[in-house]
Amino acid sequence: MTRFGSAAILLSFALITLTETAPAQTALDELVDREPISFSAEACSAAVGGWSPWSSKAENIKENGCGRRRRTRPVKDNDMARNCGLHGVEQKEDCSKLTKKEKLVSLQYYFVNDVFGRSGIIRRHKRSLFDPSIFFRGDLPAITDTDRCPEDVAQRPVDFLAMVDKSGGMSRRHFRLLLRSVGFLVQKGIPQISLDTTRMALMTFANNPTIEFNLKACDNSSCVMEKLDGAVFRGGVTRMATALDAAQTVFTEESGMRSCSRRVILLITDGSGARYEEAMPQQYASNLKGDKGVEIFAIGVTDLINENELAGIVSTPTLTHLYYMDTVRQTRRIFKRIKPAQSNDDDGA
């Protein structure tokens, strides 16, 4: 190639490069000449409105299952808000565990008051923290004898079974603390235990379930407290499916179940049953809820529990039937602070 040919090729490349870069350079010049965007504090503040007050943590328990709070704000200028780094119109705090007070309030309201606070027996009170309109009772017994059975479930007498875990994960002392927790419920939460009002039974379970007393064994609270003191710690593995299967024998006429009662179980456990059994506990819980019309509540103690398993056992909605306690001692302290059951109805009294 001659010297003149090489020079011609280089000149062609130069012209092509200048042609391609000219638009980009023009755009860059326009950006440089443009008036700079103001990022002053005043301009950024004007782009968004003010934050609303934080929502109540307690009000969000029913929605989120924990003490989450949130607040919102309006955005007036999206571009400016984006340039100022003001992203989002909603803020949420990290979903933290419920405080002991929040656990107590939820347990008091959704379990003690709703199950045992029957109008006509207990004085009604004003709704203070939760809105009972969000509570929908699930898995309740089908009533056919309308002449004998009140249409309002809250008016029916309660047949109540407490199921307490006594497996090896629970020390003898912790087992006694859980029984004492049930005792606080009997002494403070349940207005009256008798064969005409609330009937109560107790089952303890590990390798095998033990029905300590059935629904027709006690006609007063003193009898129940005496039998709670007499329950013996055994140890072993948590066979929850076996226990729930045996619970069906408690809810029979022979064991004292009434045809028109509201049937309730409170299951207290610190472990998972699925690891030790072929059958799933959820299967037997479904039988209780479907065939016997039993409403199941559960308290999971410590972080050894299987949350998915317990969620499949309890009645719906899960958030009002399933509770978590950090330790056995915390369970006892919270039950100790339970107040006498009251009706959740809001009549303005």
Side-chain angles (χ1 to χ4, degrees), residues 117-132:
R118 300 184 304 283
S119 58
I121 297 178
I122 299 301
R123 176 181 60 84
R124 295 183 177 186
H125 75 297
K126 289 185 178 180
R127 184 165 65 220
S128 57
L129 186 57
F130 292 101
D131 181 359

Side-chain angles (χ1 to χ4, degrees), residues 263-282:
R263 296 143 204 173
V264 177
I265 285 177
L266 176 63
L267 170 68
I268 307 177
T269 180
D270 74 334
S272 169
R275 292 175 293 174
Y276 307 108
E277 301 173 288
E278 293 183 6
M280 300 295 288
Q282 297 92 323

Side-chain angles (χ1 to χ4, degrees), residues 89-106:
V89 296
E90 183 180 58
Q91 277 188 346
K92 291 183 180 180
E93 284 190 337
D94 289 339
C95 194
S96 57
K97 291 183 178 179
L98 296 183
T99 64
K100 285 187 290 185
K101 182 178 180 180
E102 289 167 341
K103 291 177 181 178
L104 171 63
V105 171
S106 185

Side-chain angles (χ1 to χ4, degrees), residues 141-153 155-156 259-261:
I143 300 299
T144 56
D145 189 349
T146 55
D147 293 333
R148 296 178 53 200
C149 300
E151 292 184 6
D152 184 3
V153 177
Q155 298 290 332
R156 301 172 193 165
S259 61
C260 240
S261 62

Side-chain angles (χ1 to χ4, degrees), residues 234-245:
R234 298 293 184 187
V237 298
T238 306
R239 298 193 181 276
M240 207 177 306
T242 304
L244 289 167
D245 185 28

Side-chain angles (χ1 to χ4, degrees), residues 38-45 84:
S38 173
F39 291 95
S40 65
E42 292 79 8
C44 290
S45 297
C84 293

